[in-house]
Amino acid sequence: MRDLLVWRRDVRHFRRDPLPTGTLEELIELACLAPSVGLSQPWRFVIVDDETVRAGVRRAFAKCNAEALAAQQPSRSALYARLKLAGLEAAPSHLAVFADRTTEQGHRLGRLTMPEMIEYSAVTAVHTMWLAARAQGIGMGWISIIDPDTVAALLDVPPEWKFIGYFCLGYPEDQSSVPELEQEGWEERRPPAKFIIRR
Amino acid sequence: MRDLLVWRRDVRHFRRDPLPTGTLEELIELACLAPSVGLSQPWRFVIVDDETVRAGVRRAFAKCNAEALAAQQPSRSALYARLKLAGLEAAPSHLAVFADRTTEQGHRLGRLTMPEMIEYSAVTAVHTMWLAARAQGIGMGWISIIDPDTVAALLDVPPEWKFIGYFCLGYPEDQSSVPELEQEGWEERRPPAKFIIRR
């Protein structure tokens, strides 16, 4: 378990060879074993194969990434520009995940004080998928540098679905237990004790 | 991996015997291996040992759970009343998790279009901990039927921390691969195909 957690990485450098037929569907099936508030299973998966849609997503990412670059402090913009923050060109599989706050499944149990539990449940499904993929040698990358409304429009999903993330999946070009952002000098991880207080 | 995902359950029936010393801290250490947006590690863990604070949390849960019971459709209120939705009395370990949107760690990478990635990162840490605990035979239960502001006040945490959840941990009284809400007839899981569309 520890090995899996240490190895698990957000991947942005993918080989172009496709995942075996049915693999993405199997990973989604495992993701559906995730916990969800009130057993509401609010996750909604959109498998994106259409090349026109994919091209639209690439443009949407490029636009937001250019804006993020422009917003960097001058001292960090060169470093930011060097980072590879998506693997949209090479990754053979694309997936978008949404959460449906309007679902009646679960009869709203656990959602009165914290309606955001719906989004959190979809995130546990995403992370389940991430770990299940990694256990099979498959890499996954989470793209958040993108405008949620643009993605929803490109994918023509129901307006009540909240965008959780756009994901690239495929075999990683290389493997490392050190996050790419740490390798590149963007940020370093802090010891766990820094994040704990006691009451 | 599949076995772990199938077995992983939200636990509400705990044995009272404590976790071995250091176990909770080890689980938090594993949780800190989770992915986080921009390597921001925005998770904040509060280990709750003080009995007065714990009693306050129990009262806060009881209040919100009574309100949730009152809000049920008449046809479902008897069923709701029968559900055990927290394990706050017996569970030997209590933990609250927050997310800090104000953290400068990660230099705001990936957070411009989706600032909620901070909360989502904390959720991936929680789910990492859930799976790591389960792999060691330890159960964990997520309590969302509680007022976030009340918990934050009881725990006296910085006002900018967003409450993610309150968690009970301990050894489960029994084990099952069927969610309790399904056993009790509250809700049933749907096949994964129901949650997939293609574009």
Side-chain angles (χ1 to χ4, degrees):
Chain A
M1 186 73 199
R2 176 179 288 269
D3 286 348
L4 175 64
L5 296 174
V6 168
W7 287 339
R8 187 255 358 118
R9 289 272 72 75
D10 188 274
V11 172
R12 296 148 202 166
H13 294 88
F14 295 95
R15 289 169 18 205
R16 290 184 182 265
D17 44 319
L19 301 180
T21 304
T23 302
L24 186 55
E25 289 79 2
E26 281 167 31
L27 291 174
I28 293 174
E29 187 207 326
L30 291 171
C32 290
L33 293 169
S36 63
V37 63
L39 217 55
S40 57
Q41 299 188 293
W43 37 72
R44 304 291 179 261
F45 299 94
V46 185
I47 298 175
V48 182
D49 289 325
D50 184 275
E51 188 42 51
T52 308
V53 175
R54 287 186 173 199
V57 169
R58 281 195 295 270
R59 279 194 300 274
F61 165 76
K63 178 172 182 293
C64 289
N65 200 39
E67 288 165 2
L69 172 60
Q72 295 303 308
Q73 298 165 357
S75 62
R76 296 185 66 89
S77 59
L79 177 51
Y80 187 92
R82 271 209 309 277
L83 298 174
K84 182 174 172 63
L85 296 172
L88 289 164
E89 297 78 17
S93 292
H94 286 202
L95 178 73
V97 179
F98 294 81
D100 182 3
R101 274 204 189 189
T102 67
T103 185
E104 288 301 320
Q105 189 179 337
H107 304 280
R108 308 212 157 254
L109 186 145
R111 293 152 62 180
L112 294 180
T113 51
M114 296 181 65
E116 64 270 35
M117 287 298 294
I118 287 292
E119 289 92 286
Y120 297 173
S121 299
V123 172
T124 65
V126 165
H127 191 37
T128 298
M129 193 166 169
W130 215 328
L131 295 171
R134 187 61 192 82
Q136 298 179 35
I138 296 167
M140 184 160 151
W142 185 327
I143 296 168
S144 62
I145 305 174
I146 199 158
D147 176 52
D149 292 340
T150 304
V151 179
L154 282 166
L155 297 178
D156 189 23
V157 296
E160 63 271 19
W161 287 11
K162 180 167 164 49
F163 179 66
I164 299 294
Y166 195 89
F167 301 88
C168 293
L169 291 100
Y171 295 105
E173 271 194 348
D174 42 37
Q175 317 215 347
S176 169
S177 59
V178 177
E180 231 175 273
L181 291 177
E182 195 161 327
Q183 294 176 38
E184 297 282 352
W186 180 262
E187 187 53 275
E188 55 188 24
R189 287 174 291 180
R190 316 296 159 83
K194 188 180 181 310
F195 306 118
I196 302 176
I197 63 174
R198 291 168 189 274
R199 293 291 186 263
Chain B
M1 188 72 201
R2 175 180 286 269
D3 285 347
L4 175 65
L5 297 174
V6 169
W7 287 339
R8 188 252 3 118
R9 290 272 70 76
D10 188 274
V11 172
R12 297 147 201 166
H13 294 88
F14 294 95
R15 288 168 20 203
R16 290 184 182 267
D17 44 319
L19 300 180
T21 304
T23 302
L24 185 56
E25 290 78 359
E26 282 167 31
L27 290 174
I28 293 174
E29 187 208 326
L30 291 171
C32 291
L33 293 169
S36 62
V37 63
L39 217 56
S40 57
Q41 299 188 293
W43 37 71
R44 305 291 180 260
F45 300 94
V46 186
I47 298 175
V48 182
D49 288 326
D50 185 274
E51 188 40 52
T52 308
V53 176
R54 286 186 173 198
V57 170
R58 282 195 293 270
R59 279 193 301 273
F61 165 75
K63 178 171 181 291
C64 289
N65 200 39
E67 289 165 2
L69 173 59
Q72 294 304 307
Q73 296 165 359
S75 62
R76 295 185 68 90
S77 58
L79 177 51
Y80 187 92
R82 269 209 311 278
L83 298 174
K84 182 174 171 61
L85 296 173
L88 289 164
E89 297 77 17
S93 293
H94 286 203
L95 179 73
V97 178
F98 295 81
D100 183 3
R101 274 203 189 191
T102 68
T103 185
E104 288 301 320
Q105 190 179 335
H107 305 278
R108 309 211 158 255
L109 185 145
R111 293 152 62 180
L112 295 180
T113 49
M114 295 180 67
E116 64 269 35
M117 287 300 293
I118 287 292
E119 289 94 285
Y120 297 172
S121 300
V123 172
T124 65
V126 165
H127 191 38
T128 298
M129 191 166 171
W130 215 329
L131 295 171
R134 187 60 193 81
Q136 298 179 36
I138 297 168
M140 184 161 152
W142 185 328
I143 296 168
S144 63
I145 304 174
I146 200 158
D147 175 52
D149 293 340
T150 304
V151 179
L154 281 166
L155 297 178
D156 189 23
V157 296
E160 64 271 20
W161 288 12
K162 179 166 166 48
F163 179 66
I164 299 294
Y166 195 88
F167 301 89
C168 293
L169 292 100
Y171 295 105
E173 273 195 346
D174 41 38
Q175 316 216 347
S176 169
S177 61
V178 179
E180 232 174 275
L181 291 177
E182 196 161 327
Q183 292 176 39
E184 297 282 352
W186 180 263
E187 187 53 273
E188 57 188 24
R189 288 175 290 181
R190 316 294 158 86
K194 187 180 180 314
F195 306 117
I196 302 175
I197 63 175
R198 291 168 189 274
R199 291 289 187 266

